[in-house]
Amino acid sequence: MAKIQLNGKKITIKPNISVFDLLKKYKLINKKIAVEYNGKILQKNSFKKKLLNNNDKIEIVHFIGGG
Amino acid sequence: MAVKLKKDIFKIANKNLKSRLIVGTGKYRSYQETASAVNASGADMVTVAVRRVNITDKKKPLLTDYLNPKKIILLPNTAGCFTSEDALRTLRLAREMGGWKLVKLEVLGDKKTLYPNMIETIKSTKILVKEGFKVMVYCSDDPLLAKKLEDNGASAIMPLASPIGSGLGLQNKMNISLIIKQSKVPVIVDAGIGTASDATVAMEMGCDGVLINSAIANAKSPILMAKAFKDAVISGRNSYLAGRMKKKFLASASSPKKGLI
């Protein structure tokens, strides 16, 4: 198991899962979102290759109502 | 004889807009209400915020399910950012989401007044323009600083009428007029407009557009107020284009004296 931080919350995930798998888990595939991996923007074509390790910090953002 | 009116085109960063009213999408009771108000306002551009996805509630509705980015221009905004770093991070993420290059920058400086930090704002504008963004910039109503933004490549100047969400209307018309006079890029009054007539006054002064959020979202009937703003902006623009009459100190009769019985 790996412990990561997702959107500021500590979660435990299975080992060797990719960012793509994580997005799938949260039903975010094909949604208008952007991902930051340890403080750097992760491009869409890297979602499948990027495997998550212990202590990784992931931010997933989207658009919400705002002024 | 029918008078042919000149086509009045509103262009921001080479994008043609039908409406001179831009609306915010915050503070509504639901996304359904947001969508209905946007529709009633006739706006073809709306501001949106970038925030974390709610990972604990997968069923939470998404804004993009209610506002189709193919039909309406979503303008990512950096509302809530107090440093240049945060604003840049937000807009780079927004661009990653789907190629958004036209963005709205606001870097706040004070929690009580939400007044813009112009030093950080100018710094951020420079960097964003260098990175290929088209930046519409929320700013104070200081003509010198507005000019500085334009010199640094801002695509639109967005001075505040009064503090964000205050509804106090245009507090410094003279400064806004000076900014309109000197600017070659669109000037859009952003923040502080309280009611439809405020928007008309701003447009009559020669603003290219207005951005409204709280005045619509916090009205008793947001959808009716959205329509009121639509008409107010069109009226103000037409009035500006028509050119108002000169003011006189004494009366001038409307009916001719000839033929008086």
Side-chain angles (χ1 to χ4, degrees), chain A residues 5-9 11 25-28 31-36 39 41-44 47 59-67, chain B residues 24-26 31 47-53 55-56 58 62-63 65 69 74 76-77 79 89 92-94 96-97 100 104 213:
Chain A
Q5 194 172 308
L6 173 61
N7 285 1
K9 268 187 86 161
I11 62 159
K25 189 178 161 201
Y26 289 101
K27 298 195 165 63
L28 293 168
K31 296 281 183 195
K32 287 245 173 287
I33 51 128
V35 178
E36 220 181 56
I41 290 177
L42 188 68
Q43 285 179 347
K44 284 191 180 75
F47 286 176
E59 292 283 350
I60 308 172
V61 297
H62 67 158
F63 289 138
I64 65 152
Chain B
T25 56
Y31 279 154
T47 59
V48 293
V50 176
R51 293 289 184 273
R52 283 172 165 165
V53 167
I55 50 162
T56 45
K58 291 180 212 170
L62 296 175
L63 178 71
D65 292 337
L74 301 188
N77 181 17
R89 182 186 183 198
R92 285 169 185 149
L93 279 164
E96 185 59 27
M97 250 180 264
W100 271 270
K104 186 190 150 196
N213 191 348

Side-chain angles (χ1 to χ4, degrees), chain B residues 95-111:
Chain B
R95 175 162 66 179
E96 185 59 27
M97 250 180 264
W100 271 270
K101 278 208 175 138
L102 182 61
V103 294
K104 186 190 150 196
L105 172 72
E106 63 179 65
V107 188
L108 305 174
D110 175 61
K111 286 198 169 122

Side-chain angles (χ1 to χ4, degrees), chain B residues 6 63 77 82 101 106 111 126 146 150 157 232 251 254:
Chain B
K6 255 203 265 168
L63 178 71
N77 181 17
F82 281 81
K101 278 208 175 138
E106 63 179 65
K111 286 198 169 122
K126 262 189 209 172
E150 188 171 347
I157 307 292
S254 300

